[in-house]
Amino acid sequence: MRVTKVANAPVSFGVFELSDAPPPLSPDEMVRALSDAGYEGIDSGPIGYLGTGSELTDRLAGSGLLLAGGWVDLRYGDAEAYARGLPALEAALDVFAAAPPAPEGLGPRPTLACSGTPERFARPGGSVPGLPPSEWPAYAARVQEAANRCRDRGFEPAFHHHLGTYVETPEDVERLLELTDVQLCLDTGHLLLAGGDPVAALRAWAGRVGHVHIKDGDTKILAQALSDGADLRELMGRGGFAPLGEGELDLPAVVRTLDEIGYAGWIVIEQDTLPGRRTVDSNIADQAANRRKLEELGL
């Protein structure tokens, strides 16, 4: 039986780093807002934001939310920096291991991603050349090693393509899938703004899609940001990732296609924004509206 549940994430409220102080919502306020909006799960946000160990377990159990997964980025393009980052991966897996028990297929998914590269971060959207062909094998081998480390701990990871990184464009994703066996966290907004077609990608990569982030994107805002010399962070602050239905994502087609390919697992709604750019009340209202839009489409 296909089981799909819908989560949201702290990034929708501008929570990116633990150093962002004060956060727009406390962890308890965050889980309460998402639970009240009808979500069934939450992404961890910065590791430690929702707590660790029993603190995490008690907080989520009290809200009725499951832990859908969490973001772990490593510098796969730099062997020494990658090795220095591995303890953070292990620490994240410790946090996931402490999460409340979940139904089969709905345990937390480590979301592997590459740290941003300066050139692409400054010019997001696929216009800047990526990783040189000669460097792809070593890059992919490190991604594979990280994935295997997750599996050794009992977790099946998914790699998140992302604006501003070496895995940004559809061509970058194809290369990664070719060189590894890692599953893909398909993010509709990042793919859209990198020149991809999320619906076509879901069909083409159906056998490798293990996690889904649904967000909308506005290429007009992207074009203006690039014209102004704004980077990826400023793009997010300007609303490049719009509320569902206000950008260019064909959300009904995405939902239909997820059903057609038999996707089962977590769908995480995200609306990346920056701290302080929008009021807490407007963020809460947007995420409640985003949840209703998926409910209207049968999710």
Side-chain angles (χ1 to χ4, degrees):
M1 180 179 178
R2 189 170 74 95
V3 178
T4 302
K5 289 187 179 293
V6 180
N8 204 297
V11 73
S12 299
F13 297 83
V15 179
F16 284 88
E17 306 287 346
L18 289 177
S19 59
D20 290 334
L25 288 172
S26 72
D28 287 328
E29 290 170 333
M30 177 74 68
V31 297
R32 185 164 55 250
L34 295 182
S35 177
D36 290 348
Y39 289 96
E40 299 156 296
I42 185 172
D43 183 271
S44 70
I47 299 299
Y49 166 68
L50 293 178
T52 60
S54 60
E55 181 185 17
L56 171 68
T57 302
D58 292 346
R59 175 167 286 130
L60 294 186
S63 69
L65 297 178
L66 296 173
L67 186 65
W71 180 273
V72 183
D73 67 52
L74 295 166
R75 301 196 68 84
Y76 298 103
D78 181 323
E80 292 183 1
Y82 166 76
R84 289 195 300 270
L86 288 174
L89 172 61
E90 295 296 335
L93 298 178
D94 290 342
V95 170
F96 300 154
E104 184 177 357
L106 292 168
R109 301 297 297 267
T111 309
L112 303 178
C114 181
S115 303
T117 64
E119 298 81 8
R120 280 189 158 181
F121 194 92
R123 300 284 298 173
S127 63
V128 176
L131 196 65
S134 62
E135 297 182 25
W136 264 106
Y139 182 98
R142 294 180 194 113
V143 172
Q144 187 68 60
E145 180 192 354
N148 291 342
R149 283 174 174 264
C150 295
R151 291 166 179 160
D152 289 343
R153 295 283 302 274
F155 298 99
E156 185 59 39
F159 189 93
H160 190 310
H161 58 96
H162 199 283
L163 292 180
T165 75
Y166 281 134
V167 185
E168 179 178 55
T169 69
E171 293 75 19
D172 298 330
V173 176
E174 291 278 7
R175 188 67 172 136
L176 183 77
L177 294 178
E178 176 187 343
L179 294 174
T180 70
D181 69 4
V182 69
Q183 291 188 347
L184 182 66
C185 173
L186 193 145
D187 186 298
T188 60
H190 281 276
L191 193 68
L192 178 67
L193 294 186
D197 178 339
V199 172
L202 281 169
R203 294 191 176 118
W205 302 330
R208 297 289 290 275
V209 175
H211 205 52
V212 173
H213 287 182
I214 288 184
K215 61 168 65 80
D216 213 332
D218 190 322
T219 58
K220 297 183 295 299
I221 294 177
L222 171 63
Q224 186 61 55
L226 293 174
S227 177
D228 294 343
D231 64 11
L232 175 56
R233 187 174 176 87
E234 176 61 19
L235 170 66
M236 291 188 287
R238 293 184 180 193
F241 296 112
L244 293 182
E246 295 184 18
E248 294 154 47
L249 180 69
D250 188 344
L251 183 61
V254 166
V255 172
R256 285 196 304 271
T257 304
L258 287 170
D259 186 59
E260 290 169 6
I261 68 174
Y263 176 76
W266 283 106
I267 293 173
V268 185
I269 296 177
E270 294 183 333
Q271 187 184 332
D272 301 5
T273 189
L274 294 186
R277 291 295 183 93
R278 305 175 70 253
T279 68
V280 171
D281 287 345
S282 63
N283 278 331
I284 291 174
D286 272 352
Q287 301 325 307
N290 286 341
R291 183 66 187 98
R292 290 193 297 271
K293 287 169 185 172
L294 256 65
E295 287 177 346
E296 290 167 1
L297 293 169
L299 287 177

